[in-house]
């Protein structure tokens, strides 16, 4: 049971990474909007090739003497056999389709991949900035460290949502902007964590011996102090990863995420809000996947912390 969290976390990451190879269809593919829109989960359908450039997605297909009878958009229709190119091909929509007839399985796989990728880049950026600023605040002279810490507190005092809305109004939405905004607004707690550890470790035996041998502050930090706090940073980054996935999806849900053709879990949820009563699956499935992803990542981080020894203070 204790290994369930890390196993689920690794499985989720591998599933997202394999999205281009296991997704049934491209996430933006609209084969036939009129026939494929709002199909419920577990729908079996067929594709009739009318001409080399057009398909007709239908359900309840039945062969007749003259051709085919089927349902399309809630109406019974028919087509003569000579008007169809080849035989009908089957379609199966495991989780249904959205308002444009796009397969939800494909969109959710790519959405998970996108959300995890954005979160990973944002956490890496926050980790780099937080460790750098925290190291300066903890190892520099008292006046410099106090000034840096004051700057960290100023950044922490600014409401994040205000920054997100301000950036969305001043700049064109893009994936790069989203990574920068998420990464540069979530590093402050990491900086304070690193600073506290540096204050505790810089007078320890390893740091004192390194300085006695003539090592510079940067070399002392990289070679002797950084390895001691690395386990703590790994656990903190893993927990922050789960929070960033949730935050990225929330921003996409309110329209501040990556613009199309990028697909995110929050964007898929937002696309189904207008049809929640009739097509609940468009919003429910990505919501369930998002909950499962956050729980798996948090559980994996918690299990990881059990194997991370606290940094030595001597």
């Amino acid at each position: 049971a204790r290994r369930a969290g890390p196993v689920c976390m690794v499985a989720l990451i591998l599933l997202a990474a394999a999205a281009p190879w296991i997704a049934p269809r491209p996430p933006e593919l609209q084969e036939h909007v009129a026939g494929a829109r709002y199909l419920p989960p577990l729908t079996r359908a067929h594709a009739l090739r009318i001409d080399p450039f057009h398909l007709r997605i239908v359900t309840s297909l039945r062969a007749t003497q003259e051709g085919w009878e089927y349902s399309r958009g809630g109406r019974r229709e028919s087509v003569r056999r000579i008007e169809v190119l080849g035989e009908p091909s089957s379609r199966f929509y495991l989780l249904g389709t959205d308002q444009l007839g796009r397969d939800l399985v494909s969109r959710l796989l790519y959405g998970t991949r996108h959300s995890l990728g954005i979160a990973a880049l944002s956490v890496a950026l926050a980790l780099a900035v937080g460790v750098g600023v925290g190291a300066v605040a903890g190892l520099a002279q008292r006046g410099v460290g106090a000034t840096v810490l004051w700057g960290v507190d100023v950044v922490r005092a600014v409401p994040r949502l205000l920054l997100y809305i301000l950036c969305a109004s001043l700049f064109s939405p893009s994936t790069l902007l989203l990574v920068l905004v998420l990464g540069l607004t979530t590093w402050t707690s990491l900086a304070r964590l690193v600073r506290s550890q540096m204050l505790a470790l810089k007078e320890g035996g390893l740091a004192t011996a390194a300085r006695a041998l003539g090592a510079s502050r940067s070399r002392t930090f990289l070679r002797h102090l950084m390895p001691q706090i690395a386990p703590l940073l790994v656990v903190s980054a893993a927990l922050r990863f789960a929070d960033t996935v949730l935050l990225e999806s929330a921003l996409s849900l309110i329209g501040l995420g990556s613009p199309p053709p990028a697909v995110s879990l929050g964007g898929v949820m937002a696309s189904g809000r207008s049809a929640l009563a009739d097509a609940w699956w468009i919003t429910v499935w990505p919501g369930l996947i998002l909950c499962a992803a956050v729980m798996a990542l948090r559980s994996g981080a918690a299990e990881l912390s059990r194997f991370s020894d606290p940094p030595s203070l001597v």
Side-chain angles (χ1 to χ4, degrees):
R2 291 180 177 178
R3 297 181 180 179
V7 170
C8 292
M9 181 177 66
V10 172
L12 178 67
I13 295 175
L14 292 178
L15 188 66
W21 296 277
I22 64 178
R25 297 169 189 82
E28 293 297 323
L29 180 61
Q30 303 174 29
E31 291 185 306
H32 182 224
V33 176
R37 68 194 305 262
Y38 293 141
L39 293 179
L42 303 178
T43 295
R44 294 189 178 276
H46 291 83
L48 301 177
R49 176 70 66 178
I50 305 302
D51 59 55
F53 304 101
H54 296 90
L55 281 176
R56 185 174 296 176
I57 304 298
V58 301
T59 58
S60 303
L61 183 66
R62 185 173 67 88
T64 63
Q65 293 182 350
E66 296 183 356
W68 305 94
E69 284 188 357
Y70 53 83
S71 295
R72 182 170 66 123
R75 298 179 301 176
R76 292 297 298 180
E77 300 178 4
S78 63
V79 64
R80 293 184 298 175
R81 193 177 296 272
I82 60 175
E83 297 176 358
V84 178
L85 300 180
E87 293 295 320
S89 57
S90 61
R91 296 285 190 275
F92 180 63
Y93 300 103
L94 178 63
L95 300 181
T97 61
D98 64 3
Q99 69 276 17
L100 296 178
R102 296 171 296 191
D103 180 47
L104 274 184
V105 170
S106 302
R107 291 184 61 78
L108 292 178
L109 285 172
Y110 275 89
T112 304
R113 174 187 174 92
H114 177 81
S115 296
L116 293 183
I118 292 293
L121 293 175
S122 301
V123 169
L125 178 60
L127 196 62
V129 176
V131 170
V133 174
V136 172
L139 298 178
Q141 296 179 355
R142 179 173 300 180
V144 176
T147 303
V148 173
L149 184 61
W150 175 82
V152 172
D153 292 335
V154 170
V155 176
R156 286 173 61 90
V158 178
R160 290 184 188 177
L161 184 58
L162 178 62
L163 287 177
Y164 300 150
I165 296 176
L166 183 63
C167 291
S169 62
L170 293 179
F171 306 102
S172 299
S174 66
T175 300
L176 177 60
L177 177 64
L178 183 61
V179 171
L180 291 176
V181 169
L182 289 175
L184 296 179
T185 57
T186 57
W187 58 270
T188 53
S189 59
L190 281 170
R192 295 186 67 88
L193 175 65
V194 173
R195 174 184 175 274
S196 65
Q197 294 299 315
M198 291 300 101
L199 291 176
L201 294 173
K202 69 178 182 179
E203 301 300 334
L206 288 178
T208 302
R211 288 194 299 268
L213 294 175
S216 62
R217 290 183 179 179
S218 59
R219 182 178 178 85
T220 301
F221 169 70
L222 294 175
R223 293 291 300 272
H224 303 287
L225 300 182
M226 187 66 178
Q228 296 184 70
I229 66 172
L232 188 62
L233 292 177
V234 170
V235 175
S236 179
L239 291 172
R240 189 167 304 277
F241 185 63
D243 294 338
T244 307
V245 170
L246 188 60
L247 181 57
E248 186 276 334
S249 299
L251 292 179
S252 299
L253 180 61
I254 63 176
L256 300 180
S258 300
V263 183
S264 69
L265 294 176
V268 176
M269 292 177 65
S271 67
R273 285 184 298 184
S274 59
L276 185 59
D278 300 322
W280 53 267
W281 53 89
I282 303 177
T283 302
V284 169
W285 295 133
L288 291 177
I289 291 177
L290 180 60
C291 292
V294 172
M295 292 177 62
L297 294 172
R298 279 189 167 275
S299 178
E303 184 66 20
L304 184 63
S305 66
R306 297 179 62 252
F307 300 96
S308 300
D309 296 328
S312 174
L313 300 183
V314 297

